[in-house]
Amino acid sequence: MSGAGSGFVFSEKPISIASGEGVSLTAEDGTDYLDFGASYACTPAGHCHPDVVEAVREQAADLLYVQGSYPVEARTDLRAKLGALAPGDLGNVWLCNSGTEANEAALKFARSATGKTKIVAAKRAFHGRTAGTLSATWKPKYKTPFEPLLEDVEFVAYGDADELAAAVDADTAAVILEPVQGEGGVHVAPEGYLEAARDLTEEAGAALIFDEIQTGLGRTGSLWACENEAVAGDGVVPDVLTTAKGLASGLPLGATICADWIAEDAGPHGSTFSGNPVVCAAANATLDVLVEEDLAANAAAVGDYLTAGLAASDLPLRDVRGEGLLLGIEVKRGANRVLRDLALDHRVLALPAGRTVVRLLPPLIVEEGHADELLEALTDVLAPTAEP
Ligand SMILES: *Cc1c(COP(=O)(O)O)cnc(C)c1O
């Protein structure tokens, strides 16, 4: 590591961003980019949605911070709103500052409430980078330098209900799953898998944790992916659901939403910045926009449009996977080169998910016209004549 900007943690892109509006990001040199990555799904309502900006301004003028033990309207409202929007009867909301913290809390709560230790997670899973959540994350590259991590974590093949049945036993505190794996390459749970996980955990007295940090908030066409018919029949309600990323339109916020039996015996846990009023105000406004504008329905519609467009094209693709506006396009050459060409030649920003998958996570306000722009750019970048 050799100082600021050396690539420590994040590799720097050759584009300095000055502002954002809706589905666009504008660089310091004035160039506009169509944002199909939404900086990892963090801006579901679009960049700088006016309602969110206004809510932040108003709350900042009133109160930037007060410790969590004093009720503050923005925080109380957010807990109520998340409880009302959560699937089934999940209604106990713990607020924190990131996705990894939301999952860390979920794992701690599950251990405390069950009095057991074993965690079952999936291969290819990504749940965060604290020592606890990293233990349930699959990629050895992220973990090896920091080992030993938590003991008593077993990994199973994602989507294989039999393997899950063999792993879940009387010592299991929790099974943690992404309803659609994001970071691991965009893999949708096969039909019946989440339901099987529900049955197995219930029988074993273990907590079922759904990590909806990437899949939640309307992205897959339902407010939560576990409610998605295509993924889970009539929907599967976990014992703990975690959300973060777009929850406060990119301000740092995570939430761990728990069933009563988990919350009643969750153990001691806390965080100074839990439920910061400004961040909660941003989240309240974001959730209002998501619900009032039914952005989940737009995600389903534009997602279908994009998937159909990709299927109808004769682009050299190995696979197109995903749900709604969480899509993975498996390309035949390195995803990073495709992403570079999309950005520098066509001013379209997207994300990787592993070496060969181009991941699309646009703001949920994108329209079919934007999908057409992306398809055109992809056609140009991936056309056989564009190969070196
Ligand atoms: C991004 C992500 C996390 C980690 O969230 P951070 O806010 O980066 O800590 C955890 N799980 C999933 C599924 C994610 O996509």
Side-chain angles (χ1 to χ4, degrees):
M1 204 184 323
S2 63
S6 65
F8 172 51
V9 182
F10 295 110
S11 49
E12 215 168 272
K13 308 272 180 282
I15 303 167
S16 300
I17 301 297
S19 63
E21 187 184 348
V23 296
S24 296
L25 284 170
T26 303
E28 272 168 11
D29 67 3
T31 311
D32 286 327
Y33 292 86
L34 176 59
D35 186 10
F36 257 86
S39 293
Y40 296 94
C42 283
T43 57
H47 290 282
C48 293
H49 190 289
D51 293 3
V52 178
V53 172
E54 189 51 34
V56 167
R57 278 215 179 96
E58 280 178 16
Q59 182 59 54
D62 286 346
L63 182 68
L64 286 176
Y65 177 72
V66 69
Q67 71 187 70
S69 44
Y70 295 110
V72 170
E73 194 182 358
R75 184 155 57 218
T76 308
D77 285 356
L78 178 60
R79 286 218 184 90
K81 211 167 273 197
L82 277 174
L85 293 174
D89 56 0
L90 300 189
N92 304 278
V93 179
W94 161 254
L95 298 172
C96 56
N97 313 293
S98 68
T100 198
E101 281 177 76
N103 283 336
E104 187 81 17
L107 296 174
K108 285 177 71 177
F109 296 167
R111 279 187 162 183
S112 172
T114 60
K116 302 188 272 190
T117 56
K118 180 173 162 180
I119 310 288
V120 177
K123 292 175 180 170
R124 294 188 311 232
F126 183 83
H127 298 299
R129 298 185 190 251
T130 51
T133 58
L134 201 47
S135 308
T137 289
W138 171 248
K139 212 175 187 177
K141 188 178 115 180
Y142 293 160
K143 302 203 291 191
T144 312
F146 310 113
E147 283 173 340
L149 299 168
L150 283 189
E151 287 172 15
D152 221 2
V153 180
E154 183 172 340
F155 286 93
V156 294
Y158 185 78
D160 185 331
D162 293 334
E163 220 179 284
L164 190 62
V168 176
D169 57 25
D171 299 326
T172 305
V175 171
I176 182 166
L177 293 170
E178 299 157 84
V180 181
Q181 289 189 315
E183 185 80 19
V186 186
H187 298 277
V188 181
E191 219 181 308
Y193 183 61
L194 301 182
E195 212 165 0
R198 177 66 286 178
D199 293 344
L200 290 165
T201 43
E202 209 157 282
E203 269 166 45
L208 179 61
I209 303 169
F210 284 161
D211 175 349
E212 293 242 19
I213 289 164
Q214 192 160 146
T215 55
L217 304 173
R219 177 145 304 274
T220 68
S222 302
L223 193 60
W224 309 107
C226 65
E227 297 172 328
N228 221 338
E229 294 235 349
V231 175
D234 290 334
V236 178
V237 181
D239 301 298
V240 184
L241 181 145
T242 56
T243 172
K245 291 225 155 82
L247 182 54
S249 286
L251 295 189
L253 180 65
T256 309
I257 312 176
C258 307
D260 291 346
W261 75 272
I262 301 280
E264 277 156 17
D265 197 9
H269 189 64
S271 162
T272 299
F273 290 144
S274 168
N276 172 282
V278 177
V279 179
C280 287
N284 283 322
T286 304
L287 289 171
D288 287 347
V289 172
L290 280 176
V291 171
E292 280 159 21
E293 299 182 12
D294 199 0
L295 294 183
N298 190 61
V302 179
D304 283 352
Y305 180 82
L306 199 50
T307 310
L310 287 164
S313 75
D314 49 8
L315 292 174
L317 306 176
R318 284 191 208 280
D319 196 14
V320 179
R321 303 187 287 266
E323 283 287 329
L325 289 173
L326 165 49
L327 293 175
I329 304 171
E330 188 147 355
V331 293
K332 289 185 178 168
R333 59 188 177 116
N336 273 328
R337 284 205 27 214
V338 175
L339 291 168
R340 186 198 61 192
D341 292 354
L342 281 174
L344 299 184
D345 299 343
H346 297 275
R347 298 165 185 186
V348 176
L349 306 178
L351 296 163
R355 280 186 304 113
T356 58
V357 177
V358 171
R359 182 168 32 152
L360 307 177
L361 292 168
L364 305 184
I365 55 167
V366 284
E367 295 166 9
E368 290 182 358
H370 302 122
D372 289 336
E373 275 180 61
L374 170 79
L375 288 169
E376 263 172 52
L378 266 179
T379 304
D380 197 65
V381 168
L382 293 173
T385 49
E387 297 284 342

